Amino acid sequence: MNVTHIGQLNATPSPSPMMRNDVEVYVQVVVLVIICIGSVFGNVFVIGIVIFDHKLHKPTYYFISSLASADFLVGAIYIPFYIMASLAQNWYISLTWCKWHATFISVSINASLVTLSLVSVDRYLAITDPLRYQTILTTIRSVVLLLLGWVHSIFWAFAPQFGWGEVVYQPKTSTCRPNWGAKGLANRVYTLGLALLPFGAPVICMIYCYCRIFFVARYHVREIKKNSVNTPGSNTIGQRAMETKAMKTLLIVLGAFVVSWLPYTVLSMAKMISKGSWEFSSSILNAVLTITLLNGCVNPVIYAIRDKRFCKGMKRVLCPLARKDSQDFNSYLSSRRDTTKETKAENFEMGNINFAQES
């Protein structure tokens, strides 16, 4: 880490040169509080359901738990300090913690992106090769992939602590962040690698997998229609229902991700390309950062609540007395028996969402 950068981190932060009006700040803080509560409780709920329902002890739900863990850390640690900084429009805690604050959010966000891509790969394998899916993606392999993903995320987040890349204090958001306009070949290689590997590679992976899932799903629906007994109107209605649900799921998954991350990505790339010469207003930067954090609150809904099997697990844990076979609640915690084989329709999923069923 160079001398100039050390001086930046050790200096006392000064108030933002362009103070925002109180209404704008309070609106942002209210939104951040909602995101924080949703991220913490929503993701804790997801993790708890997966832990306490043995029927969800599968690679798919291990990925979802990893995603929920990364999003929980963002909501539990990063957002509260960002709320305080936004209210004060300054960072009053030590800049040493500000530097580690930036490192922490980088670990969490990178892990979230990697896990999102693993979820898409998991669903891609389940649909394109359902017969060999359980032998290809075993529990051991899924755990290894998750560990590698977290190591990958930690590496890129901690690199600036060892002199590769820079973390700087940004007065306009009153937080520390990677310096996308860093000078020097080594630092620019780091920012380019940070944009391509922790972000670009998972995005490309997700787009490819979900597009392939959708087209394979359409092909299967057409094949089923050709080979099934013709019942007036039933095939057409079923085909439309499945294709509509597949399209909705694809749009929700990719749409939520793009809406959350595209603004931040555009601004970061513009900063990197312009070598730091392009400047954006405090209002724009804070709005973009707030929108990015929204993704951690939305993920539990997309990857868990819409999942039919997860909803059943939620009922088993929260409403055991309402089930006709309530005795199952007393035995499922200790049971380690294999669950019944997945039906053909259950393998016909997108992003853990069984779109072969009616909405």
Side-chain angles (χ1 to χ4, degrees):
M1 188 178 296
N2 56 48
V3 177
T4 303
H5 184 46
I6 294 175
Q8 288 174 323
L9 290 174
N10 291 332
T12 301
S14 57
S16 175
M18 297 182 63
M19 301 292 288
R20 296 182 292 155
N21 62 69
D22 291 342
V23 174
E24 179 183 332
V25 172
Y26 292 147
V27 169
Q28 181 196 11
V29 168
V30 170
V31 174
L32 286 173
V33 169
I34 295 173
I35 294 174
C36 182
I37 294 174
S39 297
V40 171
F41 289 99
N43 288 294
V44 165
F45 186 71
V46 170
I47 296 170
I49 295 299
V50 174
I51 290 175
F52 287 107
D53 188 353
H54 79 280
K55 292 185 178 180
L56 300 181
H57 290 181
K58 302 176 182 179
T60 298
Y61 297 96
Y62 295 152
F63 294 147
I64 290 181
S65 295
S66 175
L67 175 63
S69 299
D71 292 337
F72 165 78
L73 294 177
V74 174
I77 299 179
Y78 181 82
I79 297 180
F81 287 98
Y82 182 38
I83 291 174
M84 291 188 293
S86 298
L87 283 172
Q89 298 196 53
N90 196 7
W91 183 271
Y92 284 113
I93 310 174
S94 69
L95 279 179
T96 299
W97 170 241
C98 186
K99 178 178 65 174
W100 285 102
H101 192 238
T103 300
F104 172 80
I105 186 61
S106 183
V107 171
S108 301
I109 291 178
N110 291 344
S112 179
L113 292 173
V114 171
T115 308
L116 284 169
S117 66
L118 290 177
V119 170
S120 66
V121 172
D122 172 77
R123 292 301 84 202
Y124 173 76
L125 293 175
I127 292 174
T128 58
D129 198 354
L131 298 179
R132 294 197 305 155
Y133 165 70
Q134 293 184 349
T135 58
I136 294 175
L137 195 62
T138 62
T139 298
I140 298 298
R141 289 176 181 174
S142 64
V143 171
V144 170
L145 287 175
L146 286 174
L147 290 176
L148 291 176
W150 278 91
V151 170
H152 167 81
S153 304
I154 292 172
F155 169 78
W156 285 100
F158 277 77
Q161 308 295 337
F162 300 97
W164 188 33
E166 290 183 358
V167 174
V168 295
Y169 174 75
Q170 185 181 61
K172 292 182 178 179
T173 60
S174 302
T175 59
C176 289
R177 60 166 179 77
N179 186 8
W180 295 99
K183 308 295 181 181
L185 178 61
N187 290 333
R188 289 186 62 78
V189 169
Y190 170 78
T191 55
L192 182 61
L194 187 63
L196 294 178
L197 295 179
F199 182 82
V203 170
I204 294 173
C205 177
M206 281 186 284
I207 293 175
Y208 173 80
C209 288
Y210 280 119
C211 287
R212 287 288 300 156
I213 285 170
F214 177 71
F215 289 118
V216 169
R218 292 192 64 181
Y219 171 78
H220 286 171
V221 168
R222 290 171 181 171
E223 289 299 311
I224 291 173
K225 179 182 177 181
K226 290 180 181 178
N227 298 325
S228 62
V229 178
N230 292 324
T231 303
S234 61
N235 287 333
T236 302
I237 295 174
Q239 179 180 9
R240 289 179 179 177
M242 284 186 277
E243 290 188 358
T244 300
K245 194 170 180 66
M247 179 62 76
K248 285 181 180 179
T249 300
L250 179 61
L251 292 178
I252 290 173
V253 170
L254 297 181
F257 182 83
V258 170
V259 168
S260 299
W261 281 96
L262 184 60
Y264 180 84
T265 304
V266 171
L267 263 64
S268 299
M269 294 300 294
K271 190 82 172 179
M272 183 176 64
I273 294 172
S274 66
K275 298 181 181 180
S277 61
W278 289 0
E279 295 294 336
F280 302 95
S281 69
S282 178
S283 299
I284 291 177
L285 292 175
N286 280 280
V288 166
L289 183 55
T290 301
I291 292 172
T292 301
L293 297 173
L294 181 64
N295 190 243
C297 183
V298 173
N299 282 335
V301 177
I302 299 177
Y303 289 95
I305 303 303
R306 282 178 58 90
D307 188 336
K308 300 295 184 181
R309 288 171 294 179
F310 186 89
C311 289
K312 292 179 181 178
M314 184 167 53
K315 292 178 181 179
R316 280 192 292 268
V317 173
L318 296 180
C319 306
L321 298 179
R323 289 170 49 89
K324 294 181 180 179
D325 52 342
S326 60
Q327 293 180 350
D328 185 54
F329 177 77
N330 299 321
S331 62
Y332 80 87
L333 288 176
S334 60
S335 174
R336 292 295 182 270
R337 294 176 301 175
D338 294 332
T339 57
T340 57
K341 295 181 180 180
E342 298 291 336
T343 62
K344 186 175 182 179
E346 285 178 330
N347 283 328
F348 200 47
E349 301 173 345
M350 173 171 297
N352 299 314
I353 302 164
N354 190 337
F355 58 82
Q357 301 179 19
E358 292 183 0
S359 301

Coordinates of all heavy atoms in Angstrom, one line a residue, residues 7 12 14-16 76 107 129 131 147 163 307 337-338 354 358:
G7 N -1.9 7.8 3.9 CA -2.2 9.1 4.4 C -3.7 9.4 4.2 O -4.3 10.0 5.1
T12 N -8.2 12.6 9.0 CA -9.5 12.7 9.7 C -10.5 13.1 8.6 O -10.3 14.1 7.9 CB -9.5 13.8 10.7 OG1 -8.5 13.5 11.7 CG2 -10.9 14.0 11.4
S14 N -13.5 14.7 6.5 CA -14.2 16.0 6.6 C -15.6 15.8 6.1 O -15.8 14.9 5.3 CB -13.4 17.1 5.8 OG -13.3 16.7 4.5
P15 N -16.5 16.7 6.5 CA -17.9 16.6 6.0 C -17.9 16.6 4.5 O -17.0 17.2 3.8 CB -18.6 17.8 6.6 CG -17.8 18.1 7.8 CD -16.4 17.7 7.5
S16 N -18.9 16.0 3.9 CA -19.1 16.0 2.5 C -19.1 17.4 1.9 O -19.8 18.3 2.4 CB -20.4 15.3 2.1 OG -20.6 15.3 0.7
A76 N -26.6 -7.1 8.5 CA -26.3 -7.1 10.0 C -25.1 -6.1 10.3 O -25.1 -5.5 11.4 CB -26.0 -8.5 10.5
V107 N -16.2 -8.7 0.6 CA -16.3 -10.2 0.8 C -17.8 -10.7 0.7 O -18.1 -11.6 0.0 CB -15.8 -10.6 2.2 CG1 -16.1 -12.1 2.5 CG2 -14.3 -10.3 2.3
D129 N -29.4 -32.5 -17.3 CA -29.0 -33.9 -17.1 C -29.6 -34.4 -15.8 O -28.9 -34.7 -14.8 CB -27.5 -33.9 -17.1 CG -27.0 -35.3 -17.3 OD1 -27.8 -36.3 -17.4 OD2 -25.7 -35.5 -17.4
L131 N -30.9 -37.2 -14.9 CA -30.6 -38.6 -14.5 C -29.3 -38.7 -13.7 O -29.1 -39.5 -12.8 CB -30.6 -39.5 -15.7 CG -32.0 -39.6 -16.4 CD1 -31.8 -40.5 -17.6 CD2 -33.1 -40.1 -15.5
L147 N -16.8 -23.5 -0.6 CA -15.6 -23.1 0.0 C -14.7 -22.3 -0.9 O -14.1 -21.3 -0.6 CB -14.8 -24.3 0.6 CG -15.5 -25.0 1.8 CD1 -14.7 -26.2 2.2 CD2 -15.6 -24.0 3.0
G163 N -1.5 -4.4 -0.3 CA -0.8 -3.5 -1.3 C -1.2 -3.6 -2.7 O -0.7 -2.9 -3.6
D307 N -40.2 -21.1 -3.9 CA -39.8 -22.5 -4.1 C -40.9 -23.3 -3.3 O -41.1 -23.2 -2.1 CB -38.5 -22.8 -3.5 CG -38.0 -24.2 -3.7 OD1 -38.8 -25.1 -4.0 OD2 -36.8 -24.4 -3.7
R337 N -33.1 -40.3 6.8 CA -33.4 -41.1 5.7 C -33.5 -40.3 4.4 O -33.8 -39.1 4.4 CB -34.8 -41.8 5.9 CG -34.8 -42.8 7.0 CD -36.2 -43.3 7.2 NE -37.1 -42.3 7.5 CZ -38.4 -42.5 7.6 NH1 -38.9 -43.7 7.4 NH2 -39.2 -41.5 7.9
D338 N -33.2 -40.9 3.3 CA -33.2 -40.2 2.0 C -34.7 -39.9 1.7 O -35.6 -40.7 2.0 CB -32.7 -41.1 0.9 CG -31.2 -41.4 1.1 OD1 -30.5 -40.5 1.7 OD2 -30.7 -42.4 0.6
N354 N -40.3 -24.7 -9.1 CA -41.0 -25.7 -10.0 C -42.0 -25.0 -10.8 O -43.1 -24.8 -10.4 CB -41.6 -26.7 -9.1 CG -42.0 -27.9 -9.9 OD1 -42.3 -27.8 -11.1 ND2 -42.1 -29.1 -9.2
E358 N -48.8 -25.1 -11.3 CA -49.5 -23.9 -11.5 C -49.1 -22.8 -10.6 O -48.7 -23.0 -9.4 CB -51.0 -24.1 -11.4 CG -51.6 -25.0 -12.4 CD -53.1 -25.2 -12.3 OE1 -53.6 -24.6 -11.4 OE2 -53.6 -25.9 -13.1

